[in-house]
Amino acid sequence: MNKDILICGVGGQGTVLSSRIIAAAAMEQGYPVKSAETIGMAQRGGPVTSHVRIGENAFSPLIPKGKADLIIGFEPAEVVRNLDYLATGGLAVVNTAAIRPTTASLSGDGYDGSEMRAYLQEHVNCILADGNKECEQLGSVKFLNILLLGIAQGSGKLEIPGEVMIKEIEKRVPEKFREVNILAFNRGCEIGEQSKA
Amino acid sequence: MKEYVMGNGAIALGARQAGVSVVCGYPGTPSSEIIETIAKYPHEGMHLEWSVNEKAALEVAAATSYAGARAMVTMKQVGLNVASDPLMSLAYVGVEGGFVVVSADDPGPISSQTEQDTRRFAEFARIPVFDPATPQEAYEMIQDAFAYSEKYKTPVIFRPTTRVCHGYASISAPDTFAPVRGKGFEKDAGRFVIFPRLSYKNHGLIEERNVKIGEEFSSYRFNTAEGGPAKKAVLASGVSYMYAKEALLDHSGVKLIRIATAYPLPESFLLRELAGVEEVMCLEELSPYLEEQLLKLAGKHHLSLKVWGKLTGHVPAMGENSTEIVQKILASYLGWDSQAQENAKIPPLPARPPVLCAGCPHRASFYAVKKAMAGKKTYYCGDIGCYTLGNAMPLDMVDTCLCMGAGVTMAQGFSHIDSEGKAFAFIGDSTFFASGITGVVNAVFNEADLTICVLDNSTTAMTGHQPHPGTGRNMMGHQTQKVSIEKVLEGIGIQKIITTDPLDLAASMDAVRECADLPGVKAIIFKSPCIAIEKSKKKCHITDDCINCKLCIKETGCPALTIAEGKVTIDASLCTGCGLCSQVCPKAAIGGESHE
């Protein structure tokens, strides 16, 4: 299998954990894996991306533009920002809840994500879900990364068995949040599967 | 064990495997995780330290190498500038135990002040440099670096770049390791005391030795050529080699030459591989180092060679390379069809410049100075750390930022050319220890008029919360005596020192006014822990008294304050209850500190 997965969002949203889980699960399946992450100043509220590359044909640590099979987006504008990476026929899993940058609040710029959602719906093969709302029902928006992994899983585009994913999630989340993270993952799977149908 | 680790982790495990027993460094993106990884894995028998700065790190490690220990120093590229004084001399003196300086370059730059190229430093110091292209290579190559260092008794530079440092790959490393501590220091003044005569003698020996190393590098396993013979070649180094490899996947008829040891140049290897080649495209980041070396080589050996790259405008002079950039360059070089993908026009995207975190005490410190000095002529000299982000609107509180520690000395400079304006230096606690103290001494000695604002959040926040002399904990995991910033300032002779809680706006503004009105060197220590270390359970909330004037947002720019459906709201997932906004609100409509 050769597969390129781009995870994008805003610094502080927990994108790194998602990429590590996918990488670990793919390695568990015996594939060679490479990944790369944004670290440093951009983590302070700036756009962040993780590139996960599975398979023998990946040399560059970053996914070449137009090659990502799957984008997992934590924020709609960040998905649009990274659309260049999406391959023809690729899928974007998008959390529709917008994060307004501080600069937008200052200038009165009306960014609320709606334009991005509309654009994605019209031009991109995508699954849109209000991940924040789903997670609030589980008690905290902190489970967003696992919920989105679940949606990717449910979409069938991840091609890694669900139980392998769950095992890696369990290894990497604090024990007291293990159960609720699995709930988030399973809820994500449902959303992903529904969108497929 | 098989581990999925960051490139920096691979360097750490490789060094451990090579028997490193002393590791010193100063944090700096993209190098910080090397020491942290060693600390995380078993490391009995090793000495690990976050030194106060890179110069100290290199000197500590150099002594242990004189005694025969294998030692490593880690830093980012600008850290090498700080460590360059001991390094340049150490290059003449030489070492005993394997001695590797890891200096991580940052093309882009992504998190740095400069796009300098450490390979140039290696040539400048006349010492070998290794340039890995992947985390796996880094794991192996760092072990080679130790071996070469010990064989030739010279410090060696190991130069990864951000994409190698922060890329992840799986590494198989043995669980066992054996730190080499050496047989102890044998006094030999003729060897270890640098004098002009010694430098003259060793200079000659170093030049002779480098020819030998270049010869040995000519059969080094990471200097490779593939896809030949061909008239056209690509010469690549570091991660650009991986970009070229990926771009050339479906193409043939071109030779890909990769140089992993930029200095001393493996001349015979290149001459061998360039036989029959008529043109070379040089793919590298930062400076056209190999390109220039190749031009020299062509001149020296009268090769008829067309050399393309940064110097000819075929490769961008600045920024990172990528597979796409390399693909485009190679398409025009090799005459491929370039298929530019046309995307539908995307809507305008919101800009997301990095900002201080919600609840960051630095925001409150800057705001207190800003309000207290409103309407007055001021000079706000910033420094390196999270608080450089105090430059962002609406705070706009950083007029200068140059390098580590420069805030204090530059504020001094302004005070000498303008006696009317009030000069302020903003410096974090870690930067204060790294290179701020000498500036304070200089300011006192030379009768400056300035207020030093130490933003003390009890950590090195920007690079991932490393301990420093003021935190009471070191990299060996030991509790240590805290070095008191206040007592240091007192000891230097500063007469007015006020310690204040930045989250108390009125008290902090009073402190600023009091200091600004006094002559001489004064200091305010704004003391409040980084919100990422001391997690707060407090939240602020907006009451019905809110008139939606948005002053809280306009004044503080706190990312937890947003506008939802036309009304000011507090994002509870970000708010730490710092209470700055409630102190700014003209209607007392922000309730603070309601516990969750």
Side-chain angles (χ1 to χ4, degrees), chain A residues 20 27 34-35 39 44 53 59-60 64-65 75 77-78 81 84 99 101-102 116 119, chain B residues 4 6 167-168 243 245-246 323-324 343-346 348 350-352 354-355 461-462 557:
Chain A
R20 295 211 182 145
M27 277 187 13
K34 282 192 170 69
S35 58
I39 293 171
R44 307 282 183 274
R53 310 202 67 192
F59 291 99
S60 156
K65 288 190 175 153
E75 208 280 344
E78 294 315 308
R81 200 187 301 280
D84 278 357
I99 296 182
T102 315
M116 303 297 154
Y119 178 87
Chain B
Y4 191 62
M6 192 186 268
Y168 276 74
Y243 298 143
K245 230 171 139 62
E246 183 141 353
T323 304
E324 302 85 76
N343 272 334
K345 203 176 162 338
I346 61 166
R352 294 190 198 277
V355 290
M462 181 55 107

mmCIF file of all heavy atoms in Angstrom, chain A residues 20 27 34-35 39 44 53 59-60 64-65 75 77-78 81 84 99 101-102 116 119, chain B residues 4 6 167-168 243 245-246 323-324 343-346 348 350-352 354-355 461-462 557:
data_model
loop_
_atom_site.group_PDB
_atom_site.id
_atom_site.type_symbol
_atom_site.label_atom_id
_atom_site.label_comp_id
_atom_site.label_asym_id
_atom_site.label_seq_id
_atom_site.Cartn_x
_atom_site.Cartn_y
_atom_site.Cartn_z
ATOM 1 N N ARG A 20 0.411 10.555 14.874
ATOM 2 C CA ARG A 20 1.201 9.474 15.496
ATOM 3 C C ARG A 20 0.391 8.187 15.547
ATOM 4 O O ARG A 20 0.942 7.095 15.386
ATOM 5 C CB ARG A 20 1.618 9.876 16.903
ATOM 6 C CG ARG A 20 2.557 11.044 16.811
ATOM 7 C CD ARG A 20 3.583 11.113 17.888
ATOM 8 N NE ARG A 20 4.345 12.341 17.631
ATOM 9 C CZ ARG A 20 4.846 13.125 18.562
ATOM 10 N NH1 ARG A 20 4.702 12.813 19.824
ATOM 11 N NH2 ARG A 20 5.505 14.209 18.235
ATOM 12 N N MET A 27 2.392 1.125 10.833
ATOM 13 C CA MET A 27 3.611 0.353 11.095
ATOM 14 C C MET A 27 3.266 -1.015 11.666
ATOM 15 O O MET A 27 3.890 -2.015 11.324
ATOM 16 C CB MET A 27 4.504 1.107 12.074
ATOM 17 C CG MET A 27 5.329 2.130 11.359
ATOM 18 S SD MET A 27 6.559 2.967 12.325
ATOM 19 C CE MET A 27 6.697 2.063 13.792
ATOM 20 N N LYS A 34 6.675 7.182 7.101
ATOM 21 C CA LYS A 34 7.437 8.407 7.371
ATOM 22 C C LYS A 34 6.424 9.449 7.783
ATOM 23 O O LYS A 34 5.301 9.436 7.303
ATOM 24 C CB LYS A 34 8.053 8.938 6.076
ATOM 25 C CG LYS A 34 9.270 8.254 5.590
ATOM 26 C CD LYS A 34 9.867 9.135 4.491
ATOM 27 C CE LYS A 34 11.236 8.652 4.096
ATOM 28 N NZ LYS A 34 11.208 7.376 3.392
ATOM 29 N N SER A 35 6.803 10.363 8.645
ATOM 30 C CA SER A 35 5.893 11.485 8.878
ATOM 31 C C SER A 35 6.692 12.725 9.207
ATOM 32 O O SER A 35 7.881 12.657 9.492
ATOM 33 C CB SER A 35 4.870 11.151 9.955
ATOM 34 O OG SER A 35 5.495 10.812 11.164
ATOM 35 N N ILE A 39 6.592 22.105 14.034
ATOM 36 C CA ILE A 39 6.984 22.314 15.433
ATOM 37 C C ILE A 39 7.617 23.692 15.512
ATOM 38 O O ILE A 39 8.266 24.124 14.584
ATOM 39 C CB ILE A 39 8.006 21.238 15.873
ATOM 40 C CG1 ILE A 39 7.318 19.875 15.905
ATOM 41 C CG2 ILE A 39 8.611 21.547 17.240
ATOM 42 C CD1 ILE A 39 8.247 18.718 16.113
ATOM 43 N N ARG A 44 1.958 28.247 18.127
ATOM 44 C CA ARG A 44 1.224 29.237 18.899
ATOM 45 C C ARG A 44 0.087 29.833 18.061
ATOM 46 O O ARG A 44 0.159 30.960 17.639
ATOM 47 C CB ARG A 44 2.153 30.364 19.365
ATOM 48 C CG ARG A 44 3.390 29.910 20.096
ATOM 49 C CD ARG A 44 3.068 29.530 21.536
ATOM 50 N NE ARG A 44 4.258 29.160 22.279
ATOM 51 C CZ ARG A 44 4.787 27.938 22.292
ATOM 52 N NH1 ARG A 44 4.256 26.975 21.587
ATOM 53 N NH2 ARG A 44 5.855 27.689 23.011
ATOM 54 N N ARG A 53 3.196 9.504 5.514
ATOM 55 C CA ARG A 53 3.440 8.834 4.238
ATOM 56 C C ARG A 53 3.669 7.349 4.477
ATOM 57 O O ARG A 53 4.583 6.948 5.188
ATOM 58 C CB ARG A 53 4.655 9.452 3.529
ATOM 59 C CG ARG A 53 4.573 10.987 3.439
ATOM 60 C CD ARG A 53 5.442 11.508 2.323
ATOM 61 N NE ARG A 53 4.916 11.072 1.037
ATOM 62 C CZ ARG A 53 5.584 11.175 -0.115
ATOM 63 N NH1 ARG A 53 6.802 11.676 -0.128
ATOM 64 N NH2 ARG A 53 5.035 10.765 -1.248
ATOM 65 N N PHE A 59 9.772 9.133 -0.500
ATOM 66 C CA PHE A 59 11.139 9.531 -0.157
ATOM 67 C C PHE A 59 11.140 10.839 0.609
ATOM 68 O O PHE A 59 11.737 10.965 1.653
ATOM 69 C CB PHE A 59 11.996 9.654 -1.419
ATOM 70 C CG PHE A 59 12.265 8.333 -2.082
ATOM 71 C CD1 PHE A 59 11.510 7.922 -3.180
ATOM 72 C CD2 PHE A 59 13.232 7.486 -1.584
ATOM 73 C CE1 PHE A 59 11.741 6.697 -3.775
ATOM 74 C CE2 PHE A 59 13.472 6.255 -2.175
ATOM 75 C CZ PHE A 59 12.726 5.860 -3.276
ATOM 76 N N SER A 60 10.434 11.835 0.047
ATOM 77 C CA SER A 60 10.362 13.136 0.706
ATOM 78 C C SER A 60 9.582 12.989 2.020
ATOM 79 O O SER A 60 8.608 12.253 2.082
ATOM 80 C CB SER A 60 9.631 14.106 -0.222
ATOM 81 O OG SER A 60 9.058 15.140 0.527
ATOM 82 N N PRO A 64 4.125 15.363 -1.649
ATOM 83 C CA PRO A 64 4.136 16.309 -2.776
ATOM 84 C C PRO A 64 2.708 16.808 -3.047
ATOM 85 O O PRO A 64 1.737 16.086 -2.791
ATOM 86 C CB PRO A 64 4.643 15.468 -3.943
ATOM 87 C CG PRO A 64 5.315 14.289 -3.321
ATOM 88 C CD PRO A 64 4.583 14.036 -2.039
ATOM 89 N N LYS A 65 2.602 18.023 -3.553
ATOM 90 C CA LYS A 65 1.268 18.565 -3.845
ATOM 91 C C LYS A 65 0.560 17.671 -4.858
ATOM 92 O O LYS A 65 1.188 17.122 -5.756
ATOM 93 C CB LYS A 65 1.390 19.996 -4.357
ATOM 94 C CG LYS A 65 1.791 20.907 -3.202
ATOM 95 C CD LYS A 65 1.708 22.380 -3.512
ATOM 96 C CE LYS A 65 2.007 23.128 -2.221
ATOM 97 N NZ LYS A 65 2.574 24.459 -2.443
ATOM 98 N N GLU A 75 -10.143 22.169 10.815
ATOM 99 C CA GLU A 75 -10.700 23.516 10.701
ATOM 100 C C GLU A 75 -10.926 23.762 9.212
ATOM 101 O O GLU A 75 -10.031 23.474 8.399
ATOM 102 C CB GLU A 75 -9.695 24.505 11.275
ATOM 103 C CG GLU A 75 -10.257 25.784 11.853
ATOM 104 C CD GLU A 75 -10.586 26.829 10.791
ATOM 105 O OE1 GLU A 75 -10.118 26.702 9.633
ATOM 106 O OE2 GLU A 75 -11.309 27.776 11.123
ATOM 107 N N ALA A 77 -11.018 26.381 7.066
ATOM 108 C CA ALA A 77 -10.107 27.209 6.258
ATOM 109 C C ALA A 77 -8.753 26.516 6.091
ATOM 110 O O ALA A 77 -8.082 26.685 5.072
ATOM 111 C CB ALA A 77 -9.900 28.579 6.903
ATOM 112 N N GLU A 78 -8.368 25.736 7.089
ATOM 113 C CA GLU A 78 -7.080 25.047 6.994
ATOM 114 C C GLU A 78 -7.122 23.947 5.944
ATOM 115 O O GLU A 78 -6.114 23.659 5.297
ATOM 116 C CB GLU A 78 -6.658 24.503 8.362
ATOM 117 C CG GLU A 78 -6.362 25.600 9.383
ATOM 118 C CD GLU A 78 -5.509 26.719 8.811
ATOM 119 O OE1 GLU A 78 -4.448 26.438 8.238
ATOM 120 O OE2 GLU A 78 -5.933 27.897 8.916
ATOM 121 N N ARG A 81 -6.764 25.809 2.734
ATOM 122 C CA ARG A 81 -5.370 26.237 2.608
ATOM 123 C C ARG A 81 -4.497 25.111 2.039
ATOM 124 O O ARG A 81 -3.535 25.359 1.323
ATOM 125 C CB ARG A 81 -4.838 26.652 3.985
ATOM 126 C CG ARG A 81 -3.604 27.552 3.951
ATOM 127 C CD ARG A 81 -3.018 27.787 5.332
ATOM 128 N NE ARG A 81 -3.891 28.405 6.308
ATOM 129 C CZ ARG A 81 -4.143 29.706 6.384
ATOM 130 N NH1 ARG A 81 -3.579 30.534 5.535
ATOM 131 N NH2 ARG A 81 -4.964 30.189 7.305
ATOM 132 N N ASP A 84 -4.238 22.130 -2.281
ATOM 133 C CA ASP A 84 -3.237 21.816 -3.307
ATOM 134 C C ASP A 84 -2.662 20.422 -3.139
ATOM 135 O O ASP A 84 -2.168 19.829 -4.093
ATOM 136 C CB ASP A 84 -2.048 22.777 -3.188
ATOM 137 C CG ASP A 84 -2.314 24.097 -3.862
ATOM 138 O OD1 ASP A 84 -3.401 24.219 -4.450
ATOM 139 O OD2 ASP A 84 -1.444 24.982 -3.789
ATOM 140 N N ILE A 99 -12.269 28.328 13.463
ATOM 141 C CA ILE A 99 -11.516 29.043 14.501
ATOM 142 C C ILE A 99 -11.174 30.407 13.929
ATOM 143 O O ILE A 99 -10.456 30.520 12.935
ATOM 144 C CB ILE A 99 -10.236 28.287 14.898
ATOM 145 C CG1 ILE A 99 -10.610 26.940 15.540
ATOM 146 C CG2 ILE A 99 -9.402 29.121 15.872
ATOM 147 C CD1 ILE A 99 -9.424 26.134 16.011
ATOM 148 N N PRO A 101 -9.214 33.626 13.714
ATOM 149 C CA PRO A 101 -7.931 34.112 14.216
ATOM 150 C C PRO A 101 -8.135 35.428 14.956
ATOM 151 O O PRO A 101 -9.084 36.171 14.662
ATOM 152 C CB PRO A 101 -7.092 34.310 12.965
ATOM 153 C CG PRO A 101 -8.019 34.294 11.823
ATOM 154 C CD PRO A 101 -9.320 33.701 12.260
ATOM 155 N N THR A 102 -7.257 35.700 15.931
ATOM 156 C CA THR A 102 -7.359 36.926 16.704
ATOM 157 C C THR A 102 -7.388 38.139 15.791
ATOM 158 O O THR A 102 -8.121 39.086 16.025
ATOM 159 C CB THR A 102 -6.152 37.027 17.652
ATOM 160 O OG1 THR A 102 -5.987 35.758 18.256
ATOM 161 C CG2 THR A 102 -6.378 38.062 18.718
ATOM 162 N N MET A 116 -15.910 28.798 3.480
ATOM 163 C CA MET A 116 -15.033 27.638 3.279
ATOM 164 C C MET A 116 -15.873 26.362 3.131
ATOM 165 O O MET A 116 -15.620 25.535 2.265
ATOM 166 C CB MET A 116 -14.082 27.466 4.471
ATOM 167 C CG MET A 116 -13.219 28.670 4.758
ATOM 168 S SD MET A 116 -12.091 29.062 3.401
ATOM 169 C CE MET A 116 -11.872 30.821 3.704
ATOM 170 N N TYR A 119 -17.504 26.301 -0.219
ATOM 171 C CA TYR A 119 -16.518 26.012 -1.262
ATOM 172 C C TYR A 119 -16.173 24.526 -1.294
ATOM 173 O O TYR A 119 -16.143 23.891 -2.343
ATOM 174 C CB TYR A 119 -15.250 26.841 -1.039
ATOM 175 C CG TYR A 119 -14.175 26.551 -2.057
ATOM 176 C CD1 TYR A 119 -14.140 27.233 -3.273
ATOM 177 C CD2 TYR A 119 -13.200 25.581 -1.827
ATOM 178 C CE1 TYR A 119 -13.172 26.958 -4.225
ATOM 179 C CE2 TYR A 119 -12.227 25.294 -2.767
ATOM 180 C CZ TYR A 119 -12.220 25.987 -3.966
ATOM 181 O OH TYR A 119 -11.261 25.711 -4.908
ATOM 182 N N TYR B 4 9.524 4.223 16.715
ATOM 183 C CA TYR B 4 9.153 5.251 15.741
ATOM 184 C C TYR B 4 9.535 6.585 16.358
ATOM 185 O O TYR B 4 8.896 7.038 17.297
ATOM 186 C CB TYR B 4 7.651 5.182 15.486
ATOM 187 C CG TYR B 4 7.199 6.011 14.307
ATOM 188 C CD1 TYR B 4 7.663 5.728 13.030
ATOM 189 C CD2 TYR B 4 6.313 7.063 14.467
ATOM 190 C CE1 TYR B 4 7.246 6.476 11.948
ATOM 191 C CE2 TYR B 4 5.887 7.814 13.380
ATOM 192 C CZ TYR B 4 6.355 7.508 12.117
ATOM 193 O OH TYR B 4 5.944 8.249 11.046
ATOM 194 N N MET B 6 11.339 10.701 16.130
ATOM 195 C CA MET B 6 11.662 11.918 15.405
ATOM 196 C C MET B 6 13.136 11.831 14.991
ATOM 197 O O MET B 6 13.927 11.159 15.661
ATOM 198 C CB MET B 6 11.457 13.056 16.397
ATOM 199 C CG MET B 6 11.447 14.429 15.823
ATOM 200 S SD MET B 6 11.358 15.667 17.135
ATOM 201 C CE MET B 6 9.614 15.903 17.272
ATOM 202 N N GLY B 167 11.274 15.018 11.040
ATOM 203 C CA GLY B 167 10.643 13.906 10.346
ATOM 204 C C GLY B 167 10.642 12.709 11.286
ATOM 205 O O GLY B 167 11.459 12.633 12.200
ATOM 206 N N TYR B 168 9.725 11.781 11.065
ATOM 207 C CA TYR B 168 9.659 10.588 11.913
ATOM 208 C C TYR B 168 9.947 9.350 11.078
ATOM 209 O O TYR B 168 9.553 9.277 9.916
ATOM 210 C CB TYR B 168 8.258 10.431 12.499
ATOM 211 C CG TYR B 168 8.013 11.241 13.746
ATOM 212 C CD1 TYR B 168 7.833 12.599 13.669
ATOM 213 C CD2 TYR B 168 7.981 10.628 14.992
ATOM 214 C CE1 TYR B 168 7.611 13.348 14.812
ATOM 215 C CE2 TYR B 168 7.756 11.355 16.139
ATOM 216 C CZ TYR B 168 7.570 12.714 16.046
ATOM 217 O OH TYR B 168 7.362 13.440 17.181
ATOM 218 N N TYR B 243 13.991 14.745 -2.141
ATOM 219 C CA TYR B 243 13.052 15.373 -3.082
ATOM 220 C C TYR B 243 13.412 14.966 -4.511
ATOM 221 O O TYR B 243 12.548 14.642 -5.322
ATOM 222 C CB TYR B 243 13.092 16.903 -2.963
ATOM 223 C CG TYR B 243 12.687 17.456 -1.604
ATOM 224 C CD1 TYR B 243 13.328 18.571 -1.057
ATOM 225 C CD2 TYR B 243 11.659 16.871 -0.873
ATOM 226 C CE1 TYR B 243 12.960 19.077 0.179
ATOM 227 C CE2 TYR B 243 11.289 17.372 0.361
ATOM 228 C CZ TYR B 243 11.939 18.483 0.886
ATOM 229 O OH TYR B 243 11.585 18.977 2.101
ATOM 230 N N LYS B 245 15.078 12.304 -5.472
ATOM 231 C CA LYS B 245 14.816 10.871 -5.639
ATOM 232 C C LYS B 245 13.335 10.631 -5.967
ATOM 233 O O LYS B 245 12.999 9.856 -6.861
ATOM 234 C CB LYS B 245 15.162 10.151 -4.337
ATOM 235 C CG LYS B 245 16.061 8.944 -4.523
ATOM 236 C CD LYS B 245 16.535 8.440 -3.179
ATOM 237 C CE LYS B 245 16.530 6.936 -3.128
ATOM 238 N NZ LYS B 245 17.422 6.274 -4.088
ATOM 239 N N GLU B 246 12.472 11.339 -5.242
ATOM 240 C CA GLU B 246 11.030 11.171 -5.476
ATOM 241 C C GLU B 246 10.647 11.733 -6.849
ATOM 242 O O GLU B 246 9.885 11.115 -7.592
ATOM 243 C CB GLU B 246 10.226 11.846 -4.358
ATOM 244 C CG GLU B 246 8.735 11.631 -4.510
ATOM 245 C CD GLU B 246 8.006 11.396 -3.194
ATOM 246 O OE1 GLU B 246 8.645 11.260 -2.137
ATOM 247 O OE2 GLU B 246 6.763 11.367 -3.246
ATOM 248 N N THR B 323 9.418 18.716 -2.982
ATOM 249 C CA THR B 323 9.353 17.855 -4.164
ATOM 250 C C THR B 323 8.833 18.648 -5.359
ATOM 251 O O THR B 323 9.337 18.512 -6.476
ATOM 252 C CB THR B 323 8.470 16.629 -3.899
ATOM 253 O OG1 THR B 323 8.980 15.949 -2.757
ATOM 254 C CG2 THR B 323 8.491 15.670 -5.070
ATOM 255 N N GLU B 324 7.832 19.526 -5.120
ATOM 256 C CA GLU B 324 7.265 20.294 -6.246
ATOM 257 C C GLU B 324 8.294 21.233 -6.858
ATOM 258 O O GLU B 324 8.407 21.345 -8.080
ATOM 259 C CB GLU B 324 6.078 21.158 -5.818
ATOM 260 C CG GLU B 324 4.921 20.435 -5.203
ATOM 261 C CD GLU B 324 5.120 20.220 -3.715
ATOM 262 O OE1 GLU B 324 4.967 21.141 -2.936
ATOM 263 O OE2 GLU B 324 5.452 19.073 -3.355
ATOM 264 N N ASN B 343 -6.278 24.491 -9.925
ATOM 265 C CA ASN B 343 -7.360 24.341 -8.963
ATOM 266 C C ASN B 343 -8.361 25.469 -9.133
ATOM 267 O O ASN B 343 -8.011 26.551 -9.599
ATOM 268 C CB ASN B 343 -6.824 24.365 -7.536
ATOM 269 C CG ASN B 343 -6.417 22.969 -7.076
ATOM 270 O OD1 ASN B 343 -6.931 21.969 -7.568
ATOM 271 N ND2 ASN B 343 -5.477 22.920 -6.165
ATOM 272 N N ALA B 344 -9.629 25.199 -8.764
ATOM 273 C CA ALA B 344 -10.621 26.268 -8.782
ATOM 274 C C ALA B 344 -10.155 27.365 -7.820
ATOM 275 O O ALA B 344 -9.491 27.087 -6.832
ATOM 276 C CB ALA B 344 -11.970 25.718 -8.352
ATOM 277 N N LYS B 345 -10.485 28.590 -8.148
ATOM 278 C CA LYS B 345 -10.017 29.715 -7.325
ATOM 279 C C LYS B 345 -10.594 29.584 -5.909
ATOM 280 O O LYS B 345 -11.802 29.451 -5.741
ATOM 281 C CB LYS B 345 -10.476 31.025 -7.972
ATOM 282 C CG LYS B 345 -9.632 32.205 -7.572
ATOM 283 C CD LYS B 345 -10.102 33.439 -8.333
ATOM 284 C CE LYS B 345 -9.656 34.756 -7.744
ATOM 285 N NZ LYS B 345 -9.276 34.830 -6.372
ATOM 286 N N ILE B 346 -9.718 29.600 -4.938
ATOM 287 C CA ILE B 346 -10.194 29.399 -3.569
ATOM 288 C C ILE B 346 -10.564 30.729 -2.922
ATOM 289 O O ILE B 346 -10.032 31.780 -3.292
ATOM 290 C CB ILE B 346 -9.161 28.655 -2.693
ATOM 291 C CG1 ILE B 346 -7.863 29.450 -2.600
ATOM 292 C CG2 ILE B 346 -8.905 27.263 -3.221
ATOM 293 C CD1 ILE B 346 -6.948 28.956 -1.502
ATOM 294 N N PRO B 348 -10.708 33.790 -0.164
ATOM 295 C CA PRO B 348 -9.599 34.356 0.623
ATOM 296 C C PRO B 348 -9.505 33.697 2.003
ATOM 297 O O PRO B 348 -10.522 33.517 2.676
ATOM 298 C CB PRO B 348 -9.947 35.845 0.746
ATOM 299 C CG PRO B 348 -11.365 35.967 0.326
ATOM 300 C CD PRO B 348 -11.686 34.802 -0.539
ATOM 301 N N PRO B 350 -8.238 33.214 5.985
ATOM 302 C CA PRO B 350 -7.850 34.034 7.125
ATOM 303 C C PRO B 350 -6.368 33.854 7.425
ATOM 304 O O PRO B 350 -5.867 32.730 7.378
ATOM 305 C CB PRO B 350 -8.705 33.475 8.272
ATOM 306 C CG PRO B 350 -9.051 32.081 7.865
ATOM 307 C CD PRO B 350 -9.099 32.071 6.359
ATOM 308 N N ALA B 351 -5.658 34.949 7.699
ATOM 309 C CA ALA B 351 -4.247 34.845 8.083
ATOM 310 C C ALA B 351 -4.189 34.393 9.533
ATOM 311 O O ALA B 351 -5.047 34.751 10.332
ATOM 312 C CB ALA B 351 -3.567 36.194 7.931
ATOM 313 N N ARG B 352 -3.214 33.561 9.854
ATOM 314 C CA ARG B 352 -3.071 33.115 11.245
ATOM 315 C C ARG B 352 -1.639 33.321 11.711
ATOM 316 O O ARG B 352 -0.871 32.353 11.816
ATOM 317 C CB ARG B 352 -3.419 31.632 11.379
ATOM 318 C CG ARG B 352 -4.864 31.295 11.111
ATOM 319 C CD ARG B 352 -5.161 29.858 11.502
ATOM 320 N NE ARG B 352 -6.379 29.392 10.892
ATOM 321 C CZ ARG B 352 -7.591 29.622 11.392
ATOM 322 N NH1 ARG B 352 -7.725 30.314 12.504
ATOM 323 N NH2 ARG B 352 -8.668 29.173 10.767
ATOM 324 N N PRO B 354 1.278 33.579 14.317
ATOM 325 C CA PRO B 354 1.351 33.033 15.674
ATOM 326 C C PRO B 354 1.140 34.151 16.694
ATOM 327 O O PRO B 354 1.548 35.285 16.473
ATOM 328 C CB PRO B 354 2.770 32.468 15.762
ATOM 329 C CG PRO B 354 3.537 33.112 14.659
ATOM 330 C CD PRO B 354 2.552 33.468 13.596
ATOM 331 N N VAL B 355 0.454 33.835 17.778
ATOM 332 C CA VAL B 355 0.188 34.841 18.824
ATOM 333 C C VAL B 355 0.507 34.247 20.195
ATOM 334 O O VAL B 355 0.616 33.041 20.348
ATOM 335 C CB VAL B 355 -1.302 35.283 18.821
ATOM 336 C CG1 VAL B 355 -1.615 36.108 17.599
ATOM 337 C CG2 VAL B 355 -2.238 34.083 18.901
ATOM 338 N N ALA B 461 9.893 28.452 27.441
ATOM 339 C CA ALA B 461 8.592 28.020 26.916
ATOM 340 C C ALA B 461 8.624 27.711 25.420
ATOM 341 O O ALA B 461 8.115 26.686 24.978
ATOM 342 C CB ALA B 461 7.539 29.072 27.224
ATOM 343 N N MET B 462 9.233 28.588 24.618
ATOM 344 C CA MET B 462 9.115 28.484 23.166
ATOM 345 C C MET B 462 9.621 27.154 22.628
ATOM 346 O O MET B 462 9.089 26.594 21.681
ATOM 347 C CB MET B 462 9.874 29.649 22.513
ATOM 348 C CG MET B 462 9.802 29.671 21.004
ATOM 349 S SD MET B 462 8.113 29.650 20.384
ATOM 350 C CE MET B 462 7.931 31.327 19.821
ATOM 351 N N GLY B 557 -6.130 41.545 22.562
ATOM 352 C CA GLY B 557 -5.907 40.587 21.472
ATOM 353 C C GLY B 557 -5.827 39.153 21.959
ATOM 354 O O GLY B 557 -5.230 38.307 21.306
#
